Amino acid sequence: MKKAVILGAGTAGTMMSNHLAKKLPKDEWEIVVVDQEKTHYYQPGFLFLPFDIYQPEDVVKPIDDFLPSRAKRIMQKIDRVEPESNTVTLQNGDMIGYDILIIATGSHIAPKEVTGMMSDAWHKDVFDFYTYAGACALREKFMNWEGGKLVIHITEMPIKCPVAPLEFAFLADAFFTEKGMRDKVDITFVTPLSGAFTKPVASDKLAYLLKDKNIRIVADFAIESVNNETRTIHDYGGKEVAYDLLVTVPTNMGDSMVERSGFGDDLNFIPTDKCTLQSKVADNIFVIGDATDLPASKAGSVAHFEADVLTENIIRFINGEPMTYEFDGHSNCFIETGHGKALLIDFNYTHEPVEGSFPLGSFGPLKLLKESRMNHMGKLAFRWVYWNMLLKGTPIPFVPATMSEAGKHLEMSKHD
Amino acid sequence: MTTTIAGQEVSVNAEGYMTDLNQWTKEIALEIAKAEEVNMTDKCWEVIAWIQEQYRNENPLTIRKVGKSGITDIKEFYELFPNGPLKKASKIAGIPKPVGCI
Ligand SMILES: Cc1cc2nc3c(=O)[nH]c(=O)nc-3n(C[C@H](O)[C@H](O)[C@H](O)COP(=O)(O)OP(=O)(O)OC[C@H]3O[C@@H](n4cnc5c(N)ncnc54)[C@H](O)[C@@H]3O)c2cc1C
């Protein structure tokens, strides 16, 4: 028996296990899935927990419910991969050999990267919402918070779901407005980039949003430290922003297993061919989802598009054929703008976010780069699609892996 | 669009970032640096060369990466290119402005 081993049973690993279960002959291939957790978290739901739009139980389900029955599941922490001997070592010392390895260990927050961020004030005045614990703690805090300076902050790029912090700011504006206390909450958005929207089409079309919602922006802010006594954050250039409640997105890093294996970059992301998804570490190691160093967004939708491409490529690799399927960086995401509306954006490696409609050309019900109620419904429906279709690898109707150009005003993207 | 920098015709975008690194020369860089109020020291040139190399290799640039480049640290990077160092250094290096996803 040959062995396909999948490391991580989050969004990408679960999808790959289901794809490969359908494609790899049962009598020739064993599929092994390793993850340290019992629970699969619907991470996009973390955004809605603090605002009481979702309840904690909406975002958790057992990992095992989504894996194919033929997969052998191991619940252990992965210690490291040794490409020279094609083995994975687990924390309990067990070793697993593989013919094909798929790494899908994702990325997570590393608050210790910034001086003072991790302190007694963590989950008291300084919060993240990128973890289940952080989102739940913030939910508690918001229930009784009396207002003050709310600072929403991005530490450094890349982060997963790069629009989530901005959505958080929009939802906070709506939440405190609906509670009748918006006048008591001063919202500031702090980013290391040169603005909230940095792609030219988006900044043209969306600049009004922050202004309308009375959200102050501090751009080009490269954080050096958090001082939880003076309640200020400081940047390397000498700028300072005061907070009463800091909601930060800490540095995002790949798992330390990558570092122990000795093949990650300075953020533990794995060097990966951006078209084929083959790792640059060894021919029989492939990488998918947030664990890669691809210049694409780290998002579940991206992992979904990658899974289609990677499945075909792995089959071709096994058959000794050239890998012709190429990932184009296709990414789309809903952006909650508050008060029951959302935007939708769609882009890839070469095209900027465009205007138009999605996914059915000019018949598409979802408007790109325009706020609408339909888009908001689309975002909420994504949870159902995620649990019921995406993880199982069921094709989502009308949504191809590579970016469709129908119905989009692509000329809009030729900005230079 | 095109514009003339240091007597040469170069293509730039609306914000004045060069769109073709092949057209870049030291003279052009010096003139952009002057407009950005950056005093080009030897260290600055080293940073610029490193940034261009990252761009050619399609490595997305971040402040952290500059800090770990072995050429400078983040604190010094801010001193070399005050106020928005990555933006300014990219402009002087003749590469596009680093952007997020929207
Ligand atoms: C707040 C927030 C909002 C988001 N919103 C959206 C959205 O609207 N749309 C969208 O498309 N995406 C969104 N995302 C991003 C999306 O959730 C991720 O991109 C996606 O889950 C990535 O999948 P993955 O499989 O690469 O990683 P993950 O799903 O994170 O899975 C990694 C798995 O690997 C396991 N693992 C890691 N290291 C080890 C180890 N050493 N040993 C054992 N197991 C290990 C972990 O336990 C985990 O189960 C959001 C994310 C966040 C945090």
Side-chain angles (χ1 to χ4, degrees):
Chain A
M1 278 290 248
K2 281 185 277 194
K3 236 186 224 174
V5 175
I6 300 172
L7 302 183
T11 314
T14 301
M15 287 189 300
M16 284 312 294
S17 70
N18 285 304
H19 280 299
L20 292 181
K22 280 177 221 144
K23 296 266 179 170
L24 296 178
K26 256 196 180 131
D27 49 347
E28 285 174 40
W29 284 89
E30 182 184 3
I31 299 173
V32 179
V33 182
V34 189
D35 198 299
Q36 63 208 357
E37 295 282 338
K38 201 164 73 191
T39 303
H40 187 120
Y41 294 96
Y42 175 61
Q43 298 174 41
F46 296 171
L47 173 67
F48 297 109
L49 284 179
F51 305 107
D52 205 23
I53 300 171
Y54 284 171
Q55 311 304 311
E57 60 269 23
D58 291 337
V59 303
V60 292
K61 289 196 197 283
I63 283 183
D64 291 351
D65 286 4
F66 300 92
L67 298 178
S69 53
R70 66 177 276 201
K72 178 175 171 203
R73 150 87 149 115
I74 298 174
M75 202 167 111
Q76 262 295 322
K77 195 177 165 80
I78 301 147
D79 182 55
R80 65 185 185 279
V81 176
E82 276 160 35
E84 303 78 30
S85 57
N86 295 325
T87 49
V88 176
T89 306
L90 305 179
Q91 201 182 36
N92 65 1
D94 285 0
M95 287 168 59
I96 315 170
Y98 60 83
D99 294 283
I100 298 276
L101 185 70
I102 297 162
I103 304 181
T105 42
S107 75
H108 47 71
I109 60 165
K112 291 200 180 110
E113 290 289 302
V114 174
T115 312
M117 190 175 277
M118 204 58 176
S119 72
D120 296 344
W122 184 248
H123 290 181
K124 294 201 182 72
D125 301 321
V126 180
F127 292 83
D128 77 286
F129 68 97
Y130 267 46
T131 57
Y132 183 65
C136 289
L138 195 49
R139 176 187 172 86
E140 294 292 313
K141 179 83 180 184
F142 274 171
M143 284 185 181
N144 308 307
W145 194 48
E146 286 171 358
K149 294 188 218 68
L150 172 62
V151 172
I152 297 149
H153 166 255
I154 301 174
T155 301
E156 60 182 305
M157 303 306 283
I159 57 171
K160 54 183 156 186
C161 198
V163 296
L166 198 56
E167 295 182 275
F168 189 96
F170 294 154
L171 288 175
D173 164 66
F175 179 76
F176 292 113
T177 303
E178 279 153 30
K179 272 188 136 185
M181 56 181 285
R182 181 64 176 89
D183 57 330
K184 297 203 179 72
V185 180
D186 175 40
I187 304 180
T188 305
F189 185 78
V190 182
T191 169
L193 296 167
S194 58
F197 307 101
T198 51
K199 299 247 181 182
V201 180
S203 47
D204 277 5
K205 295 284 158 198
L206 303 178
Y208 74 94
L209 281 168
L210 290 160
K211 232 171 142 199
D212 280 10
K213 296 178 194 293
N214 197 15
I215 296 168
R216 194 164 67 98
I217 172 147
V218 178
D220 292 317
F221 190 97
I223 193 166
E224 184 175 18
S225 61
V226 178
N227 184 331
N228 72 54
E229 271 159 30
T230 52
R231 294 201 184 154
T232 43
I233 52 175
H234 300 262
D235 99 332
Y236 284 99
K239 273 187 282 191
E240 159 180 333
V241 176
Y243 65 85
D244 293 306
L245 182 50
L246 176 65
V247 177
T248 184
V249 178
T251 304
N252 280 206
M253 292 179 80
D255 193 78
S256 55
M257 155 319 256
V258 177
E259 193 180 355
R260 289 191 294 272
S261 307
F263 48 58
D265 65 12
D266 58 346
L267 288 170
N268 296 344
F269 293 124
I270 306 169
T272 307
D273 184 286
K274 71 174 192 174
C275 296
T276 63
L277 304 175
Q278 188 175 42
S279 77
K280 295 177 184 166
V281 179
D283 285 356
N284 60 344
I285 300 181
F286 297 84
V287 196
I288 181 167
D290 294 352
T292 73
D293 73 341
L294 261 49
S297 291
K298 295 192 183 299
S301 64
V302 174
H304 164 72
F305 298 133
E306 288 173 348
D308 289 348
V309 172
L310 182 55
T311 304
E312 293 302 334
N313 279 342
I314 285 179
I315 301 304
R316 289 182 154 260
F317 177 79
I318 288 171
N319 294 336
E321 296 163 15
M323 292 180 279
T324 50
Y325 286 81
E326 295 205 342
F327 182 59
D328 68 353
H330 188 191
S331 176
N332 60 34
C333 70
F334 292 105
I335 305 172
E336 280 292 308
T337 52
H339 303 291
K341 289 189 180 172
L343 298 157
L344 177 64
I345 59 172
D346 198 42
F347 55 99
N348 66 13
Y349 287 141
T350 49
H351 286 303
E352 302 277 316
V354 287
E355 279 196 289
S357 54
F358 181 85
L360 294 174
S362 52
F363 301 105
L366 303 175
K367 291 273 173 265
L368 295 170
L369 275 185
K370 290 221 169 64
E371 277 183 288
S372 77
R373 283 194 186 276
M374 266 313 275
N375 287 341
H376 170 68
M377 300 317 289
K379 174 116 186 174
L380 294 186
F382 186 63
R383 178 161 60 109
W384 188 90
V385 171
Y386 184 88
W387 291 124
N388 294 288
M389 299 177 79
L390 200 94
L391 289 179
K392 293 175 182 157
T394 311
I396 300 172
F398 315 117
V399 183
T402 49
M403 185 168 159
S404 154
E405 304 202 344
K408 289 172 193 153
H409 304 177
L410 285 177
E411 65 280 7
M412 288 292 303
S413 63
K414 294 197 190 105
H415 57 276
D416 48 25
Chain B
M1 62 173 94
T2 60
T3 185
T4 308
I5 308 177
Q8 284 192 63
E9 181 128 323
V10 292
S11 16
V12 292
N13 72 6
E15 291 179 304
Y17 287 79
M18 290 178 64
T19 54
D20 180 1
L21 183 53
N22 292 324
Q23 296 175 336
W24 184 90
T25 63
K26 278 204 158 180
E27 290 67 40
I28 292 174
L30 272 174
E31 198 159 313
I32 299 174
K34 212 194 280 162
E36 294 289 328
E37 296 177 1
V38 172
N39 173 28
M40 291 297 285
T41 60
D42 289 349
K43 198 71 173 183
C44 289
W45 288 114
E46 272 184 64
V47 173
I48 294 294
W50 183 84
I51 283 180
Q52 290 175 332
E53 187 189 319
Q54 302 312 305
Y55 177 72
R56 288 200 187 91
N57 295 330
E58 295 190 24
N59 294 329
L61 277 167
T62 60
I63 298 233
R64 164 188 288 262
K65 286 199 182 144
V66 177
K68 293 216 170 157
S69 61
I71 292 169
T72 184
D73 58 30
I74 302 179
K75 203 91 199 159
E76 188 189 50
F77 188 40
Y78 267 85
E79 284 156 18
L80 298 173
F81 304 91
N83 305 320
L86 198 55
K87 242 180 1 183
K88 286 196 176 178
S90 299
K91 198 167 196 175
I92 296 167
I95 68 164
K97 184 167 92 176
V99 292
C101 97
I102 52 167

